[in-house]
Amino acid sequence: MMQEKLPPIPSSINTTTRLHELDGLRITVFGLLILYHTGMLYVADWGFHYKSQYQSEPLANLMLWSNQWRMSLLFLISGAALAMFLPKHANWKTVGKRLAQLLLPLLFGMLVIVVPQVYIEAKSQHIIENLDYWQFWYAYLDQQSAEFKDHKTIGQMHFTWNHLWYLPYLFVYTLILAIFYPLLRCQLMQSIWHWLSARILLTHIVFLPIAGFYINGALLYADNPVTHNLIEDWFNHGRSFFSFVLGFALVQIPLLWGRIKTIRWCLLIAGSISYSYTLFAFHGGKLGDGVITESINGLLWSANCWLWMLCVIAWGQHWFTRSSPLIRYLNSGIFCFYILHQTLIIVFAYWLTPLQLGGFFEPLVVITLTALSCWGLFELIKPIPGIRVLFGINSRSTINEKLYLSSITRAQ
């Protein structure tokens, strides 16, 4: 008797259905990132490329809320997006084009975009005194310059990617899954996948990843602190790649993925409790001494990370149920905003320092100027084909803009 052929990995979510919550979540997380990096100017005792004269210790309590999970959630969203992309574009020409969309902005960013950050950091720390910006930029590009002989970052080079570290990591993770994707589609793996899909429950999705994050931290955190060095950043790789794979896998179980929103209130309560514990531990609180209490502490920190990731996803599913011209417009520009935002934040803060606006008005002005500049530069760069690709803007941005503007016209 001929064995019945198994259907392919569930494709209803990959090939025909767009998950609108991913667009909304992407905008939300990148927006949170802009606020977070602005906060880094003002939070006391947290290292950053430049620090404002106005610093706050209580701000650390708010910053701690998203500190653990904001980038992990971004990698999860990226993995989910890749899961929807590969079934329709599983050829190396298209995958290569997608990888180039990451690599070109990264290279341009390292050579141009992050240079003002490096300059302001060096000036504020009195590492350089006699170079103006253009002289500094030339020294930065000259890999033999004496000014950088003690500041090498990549072998004998002194380039840096600063906040753009997400791009090389995403490049590597995308390449790995693209290479193994044919294996994931083979008959044996489909059999395994269907067996798992039939047995995995929502409770598994809530609790099992906590164990994964905990094991990663227990094995790697002590000896591998986060450095954003692509070659040696093992704890961060474990956390980020695990999140990326989770996103890739979860959206391929449509019924389970869609049910996350049904527990959004439970996740909000559980996340609030775990966040309360992280505040307790952050301020020196201890459950006790010994291996057991250390393990419980690690589990609670890991739970806080995953519960908030799930919570944001759940509320995103609840709120972002359909597309809109505004979401499409923002989604087309958010990558450009990400590339530009930290440099703009630091430059504006540096320029505003002599004005002594105070601890309330200065961050308000920095956020406002950063948001307006990101939007203005996006609009300025978007029509230029040879330039826009360097800022992560594709040709669909023009289409999204027309849809958005036409919807406003109709509304009027």
Side-chain angles (χ1 to χ4, degrees):
M1 181 177 176
M2 183 178 294
Q3 184 178 6
E4 181 181 358
K5 185 178 180 180
L6 287 170
I9 293 176
S11 60
S12 60
I13 206 166
N14 289 339
T15 59
T16 62
T17 303
R18 184 173 182 86
L19 295 179
H20 300 301
E21 64 264 32
L22 292 182
D23 295 331
L25 285 169
R26 187 182 295 108
I27 295 167
T28 300
V29 175
F30 274 122
L32 178 62
L33 198 61
I34 294 174
L35 293 175
Y36 185 88
H37 284 153
T38 303
M40 288 297 294
L41 292 168
Y42 302 100
V43 61
D45 302 321
W46 288 27
F48 196 49
H49 306 288
Y50 178 70
K51 301 294 288 188
S52 171
Q53 59 189 313
Y54 309 109
Q55 297 187 32
S56 167
E57 292 184 358
L59 181 59
N61 298 324
L62 181 60
M63 298 284 287
L64 188 66
W65 171 65
S66 65
N67 176 267
Q68 277 185 284
W69 54 263
R70 71 192 191 285
M71 292 305 300
S72 296
L73 180 55
L74 188 55
F75 279 112
L76 186 147
I77 295 168
S78 300
L82 183 66
M84 300 178 68
F85 173 84
L86 283 179
K88 294 180 287 186
H89 307 285
N91 61 81
W92 280 106
K93 181 179 179 180
T94 310
V95 171
K97 182 178 179 181
R98 189 176 182 90
L99 292 173
Q101 291 172 347
L102 298 174
L103 196 57
L104 289 176
L106 172 63
L107 294 176
F108 179 72
M110 292 171 64
L111 295 175
V112 178
I113 301 297
V114 304
V115 180
Q117 298 181 40
V118 183
Y119 175 72
I120 292 172
E121 182 176 7
K123 290 283 285 188
S124 64
Q125 297 179 9
H126 305 288
I127 297 174
I128 60 168
E129 299 290 351
N130 300 319
L131 299 181
D132 63 25
Y133 178 74
W134 304 108
Q135 292 170 329
F136 177 85
W137 192 7
Y138 180 82
Y140 175 81
L141 296 176
D142 178 11
Q143 298 305 299
Q144 305 301 319
S145 61
E147 289 82 2
F148 285 90
K149 66 178 181 179
D150 297 322
H151 302 281
K152 301 300 182 182
T153 56
I154 307 174
Q156 294 302 309
M157 297 188 295
H158 49 253
F159 290 131
T160 182
W161 42 56
N162 282 11
H163 70 289
L164 300 179
W165 68 269
Y166 163 74
L167 299 181
Y169 284 54
L170 183 59
F171 178 93
V172 172
Y173 301 163
T174 301
L175 183 61
I176 290 172
L177 285 192
I179 290 172
F180 285 98
Y181 187 70
L183 176 62
L184 297 176
R185 301 290 293 183
C186 75
Q187 185 69 18
L188 175 60
M189 290 304 299
Q190 286 188 38
S191 300
I192 295 173
W193 180 254
H194 282 280
W195 184 85
L196 287 173
S197 299
R199 288 161 178 79
I200 195 165
L201 304 173
L202 195 56
T203 52
H204 297 143
I205 300 303
V206 174
F207 292 107
L208 289 181
I210 295 175
F213 284 112
Y214 169 73
I215 292 171
N216 177 67
L219 294 178
L220 298 175
Y221 182 74
D223 297 324
N224 299 272
V226 176
T227 63
H228 299 148
N229 180 324
L230 181 65
I231 306 302
E232 300 175 354
D233 202 13
W234 293 113
F235 165 73
N236 195 21
H237 274 310
R239 177 177 60 182
S240 301
F241 188 62
F242 181 53
S243 301
F244 188 75
V245 172
L246 276 174
F248 186 87
L250 282 178
V251 296
Q252 298 188 76
I253 313 176
L255 293 178
L256 195 59
W257 171 263
R259 287 183 58 207
I260 295 175
K261 64 175 177 285
T262 64
I263 58 171
R264 59 187 181 278
W265 286 108
C266 295
L267 290 169
L268 183 60
I269 294 170
S272 299
I273 294 171
S274 65
Y275 174 55
S276 299
Y277 174 77
T278 60
L279 286 174
F280 166 76
F282 179 75
H283 289 286
K286 296 182 65 175
L287 298 175
D289 298 315
V291 176
I292 294 178
T293 53
E294 287 183 6
S295 298
I296 294 174
N297 176 70
L299 280 170
L300 290 172
W301 278 85
S302 300
N304 183 66
C305 175
W306 178 239
L307 289 173
W308 278 108
M309 289 171 67
L310 269 186
C311 184
V312 174
I313 292 170
W315 284 97
Q317 290 180 343
H318 177 69
W319 285 327
F320 303 114
T321 56
R322 61 179 61 87
S323 184
S324 73
L326 177 59
I327 288 180
R328 289 193 295 270
Y329 176 77
L330 291 176
N331 198 49
S332 68
I334 200 65
F335 195 25
C336 176
F337 291 10
Y338 161 72
I339 291 170
L340 292 169
H341 81 279
Q342 185 166 291
T343 293
L344 293 172
I345 287 170
I346 292 174
V347 167
F348 288 136
Y350 184 68
W351 284 349
L352 291 170
T353 295
L355 300 181
Q356 298 184 346
L357 298 177
F360 175 79
F361 285 106
E362 184 183 283
L364 187 62
V365 173
V366 168
I367 292 173
T368 302
L369 289 176
T370 299
L372 290 175
S373 298
C374 283
W375 171 74
L377 288 169
F378 169 64
E379 288 295 330
L380 182 66
I381 296 165
K382 183 172 56 177
I384 310 174
I387 302 298
R388 67 187 178 205
V389 66
L390 301 176
F391 291 85
I393 304 171
N394 58 44
S395 58
R396 289 185 300 173
S397 298
T398 304
I399 299 173
N400 289 331
E401 180 193 25
K402 290 179 179 178
L403 289 171
Y404 178 52
L405 292 176
S406 65
S407 70
I408 294 176
T409 303
R410 289 195 299 270
Q412 293 174 341

